[in-house]
Amino acid sequence: MLAAREATLREDLYTMRKMIDQYAADKGKLPQSLEDLQNAGYIDKIPLDPITDQSDWQVDFGEDPGSTESAQGVTNVHSTSNEVSSDGSTRYSDW
C-alpha cells in the first residue's frame, strides 16, 4: 500500500513540475498558484497528496526568469508531509 502511495506521489510531483515548466514556456511567465495550472487547462484538477490525503501542497516561489519586473511565481511543489519515506532517510517534503 505504501509503495503505491509513494509511486502516486512521485508521478503527481513529476506531472505538476512538468506543467509548471510548460506553463512558463507557453505564457512567458511562471504561474502564481497551482490553481493557475488548473484554470489554464494544464492539469484537470489539483491532485490530493497521497500521503496526507489533502490538496495541501507546499508551493515554492522564486524569481520569474521570464519577467522584466523581477516578478515571482511558482517554481516547485512538494508534499507537506514530514513523514519519512520508505527509504528510511528522506522526508516526503524533500522529494
Side-chain angles (χ1 to χ4, degrees):
M1 180 74 173
L2 180 59
R5 290 182 11 202
E6 287 183 345
T8 299
L9 176 60
R10 286 185 199 281
E11 183 177 322
D12 289 346
L13 289 171
Y14 173 80
T15 299
M16 288 189 288
R17 289 169 177 160
K18 183 177 173 185
M19 291 301 102
I20 290 167
D21 292 343
Q22 188 63 54
Y23 181 102
D26 291 348
K27 307 264 186 197
K29 64 179 182 175
L30 290 169
Q32 297 301 301
S33 66
L34 295 178
E35 288 79 8
D36 283 355
L37 297 177
Q38 181 180 8
N39 294 338
Y42 288 85
I43 56 176
D44 291 328
K45 63 179 183 172
I46 299 169
L48 292 178
D49 179 330
I51 307 302
T52 65
D53 289 323
Q54 298 181 42
S55 270
D56 59 350
W57 301 100
Q58 171 63 44
V59 176
D60 293 347
F61 287 87
E63 189 171 323
D64 188 339
S67 172
T68 57
E69 303 168 357
S70 298
Q72 299 274 309
V74 175
T75 58
N76 206 347
V77 61
H78 306 275
S79 174
T80 58
S81 174
N82 285 321
E83 291 180 40
V84 176
S85 66
S86 63
D87 71 10
S89 63
T90 309
R91 294 184 186 281
Y92 293 116
S93 59
D94 292 332
W95 284 18

